[in-house]
């Protein structure tokens, strides 16, 4: 431990050292991105589960189970966005209305994207968005459904992911 005389004699060096160490630490920070380039037509439930759970594991989060029910709701949203060329959480009603339409009643969260031509790029976009990152990495969800649709400009590729969980979450 440095004595006070040494510490006060070199305050500029200390600040510079902290700055250099901070920059070095930041340069080592990268967003995890699953490997590969899975284009829209190649996305399957197995591949979606693998990529999403690799991503969650990289951040110390538990895996999610694939839900065909949530996938139906996500597909409806992706199709609607693709047909209209819009990116929106409210097309087709509220998220609660849309999951109720496929008989899902648990807590839900939704993340959407458009323009990314691969699943890996969509995941990166979600990780780079604070709001989407929180939902993607939330430990409150236990299952998910992922869908992709190809459609109108300007984006041409539209992604929707709905995450769900136990009805007792948050009580």
């Amino acid at each position: 431990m440095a004595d006070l005389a040494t510490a006060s004699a070199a305050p500029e060096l200390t600040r510079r050292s902290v700055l250099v160490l901070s920059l070095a630490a930041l340069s080592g920070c990268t967003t995890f991105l699953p490997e590969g380039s899975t284009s829209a037509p190649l996305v399957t439930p197995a591949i979606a589960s693998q990529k999403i759970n690799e991503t969650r594991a990289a951040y110390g989060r538990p895996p999610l189970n694939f839900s065909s029910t949530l996938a139906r709701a996500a597909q409806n949203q992706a199709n609607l966005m693709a047909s209209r060329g819009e990116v929106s959480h409210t097309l087709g009603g509220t998220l609660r209305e849309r999951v109720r339409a496929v008989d899902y009643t648990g807590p839900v969260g939704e993340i959407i994207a458009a323009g990314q031509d691969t699943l890996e790029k969509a995941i990166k976009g979600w990780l780079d968005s604070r709001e989407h990152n929180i939902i993607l990495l939330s430990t409150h969800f236990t299952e998910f459904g992922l869908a992709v649709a190809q459609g109108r400009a300007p984006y041409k590729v539209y992604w929707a992911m709905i995450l769900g969980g136990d009805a007792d979450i948050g009580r």
Side-chain angles (χ1 to χ4, degrees):
M1 184 169 169
D3 62 51
L4 291 177
T6 305
S8 62
E12 195 63 41
L13 179 59
T14 303
R15 277 186 237 129
R16 179 174 289 151
S17 297
V18 169
L19 177 61
V20 168
L21 288 173
S22 297
L23 290 174
L26 287 175
S27 68
C29 292
T30 58
T31 299
F32 172 81
L33 181 61
E35 291 188 21
S37 55
T38 311
S39 64
L42 300 178
V43 176
T44 64
I47 289 172
S49 294
Q50 176 191 353
K51 301 296 181 172
I52 294 300
N53 287 326
E54 281 177 5
T55 301
R56 288 176 58 85
Y59 291 94
R61 302 307 194 277
L64 300 173
N65 294 314
F66 186 84
S67 163
S68 59
T69 302
L70 290 174
R72 281 195 314 276
Q75 192 66 64
N76 292 341
Q77 188 65 9
N79 290 344
L80 191 54
M81 292 189 304
S83 71
R84 294 189 183 178
E86 295 179 42
V87 183
S88 172
H89 289 282
T90 58
L91 290 176
T94 66
L95 176 58
R96 176 56 52 207
E97 290 167 339
R98 291 185 281 114
V99 297
R100 212 176 275 138
V102 296
D103 296 324
Y104 192 88
T105 58
V108 291
E110 177 178 66
I111 54 180
I112 57 176
Q116 298 86 350
D117 61 350
T118 69
L119 174 56
E120 293 80 6
K121 288 178 184 176
I123 291 171
K124 182 179 184 326
W126 291 328
L127 290 170
D128 289 345
S129 161
R130 184 175 182 273
E131 293 81 11
H132 289 100
N133 183 304
I134 289 168
I135 294 169
L136 178 62
L137 301 178
S138 173
T139 57
H140 294 291
F141 299 118
T142 58
E143 57 189 346
F144 78 99
L146 176 81
V148 59
Q150 295 182 315
R152 296 176 53 180
Y155 303 107
K156 297 186 181 171
V157 180
Y158 298 81
W159 302 87
M161 182 172 165
I162 300 177
L163 297 90
D166 187 334
D168 291 332
I169 291 175
R171 287 187 185 178

